[in-house]
């Protein structure tokens, strides 16, 4: 089992910056990939960025060039540095940890979510 606790969500003006943090506990050595998803009202949850245990990163097109994901393994923490924020970035941001049992089987763990609101 993995427990995730996010922090850092806030109300920010368009063009501003924000850093989200996610602290993992429990069976942290089993985690392969950690990432951030977001869900805006009336929309499906979408992947924003993820980072593997080896440090490889992936960004959604909407995040590329503006967001940076990083992982402090010693602190069991993943960060999402967001810059040049836009009103359309407004959403609840969820931390995700994926434990891969095999190439076709994995478990996803989720945090409780943190609200990011970008005012125009």
């Amino acid at each position: 089992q993995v427990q995730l606790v996010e922090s850092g969500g806030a109300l920010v003006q368009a063009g501003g910056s924000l850093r989200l943090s996610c602290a993992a506990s429990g069976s942290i050595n089993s985690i392969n990939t950690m990432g951030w998803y977001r869900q805006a009202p009336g929309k499906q949850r979408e992947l924003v960025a993820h980072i593997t245990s080896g440090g490889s990163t992936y960004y959604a097109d909407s995040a590329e060039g503006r967001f940076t994901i990083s992982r402090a393994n010693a602190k069991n923490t993943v960060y999402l540095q967001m810059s040049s924020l836009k009103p359309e970035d407004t959403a609840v941001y969820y931390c995700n940890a994926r434990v891969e049992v095999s190439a076709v089987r994995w478990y996803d763990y989720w945090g409780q979510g943190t609200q990011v609101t970008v005012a125009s």
Side-chain angles (χ1 to χ4, degrees), residues 22-105:
C22 172
S25 61
S27 302
I28 57 174
N29 291 331
S30 64
I31 297 174
N32 298 101
T33 303
M34 294 189 73
W36 289 94
Y37 287 70
R38 67 186 183 187
Q39 187 166 18
K43 295 188 177 182
Q44 289 190 337
R45 189 174 297 188
E46 62 177 4
L47 174 64
V48 177
H50 72 219
I51 184 167
T52 69
S53 57
S56 298
T57 58
Y58 166 84
Y59 295 93
D61 289 344
S62 58
E64 188 76 57
R66 298 188 301 127
F67 295 0
T68 301
I69 190 169
S70 60
R71 185 169 175 176
N73 285 330
K75 296 182 178 180
N76 311 317
T77 302
V78 65
Y79 304 97
L80 185 69
Q81 178 68 46
M82 304 185 291
S83 302
S84 303
L85 283 163
K86 306 174 182 179
E88 49 264 44
D89 294 318
T90 296
V92 177
Y93 284 70
Y94 295 92
C95 180
N96 167 269
R98 175 162 290 185
V99 174
E100 297 175 0
V101 179
S102 69
V104 295
R105 185 182 175 194

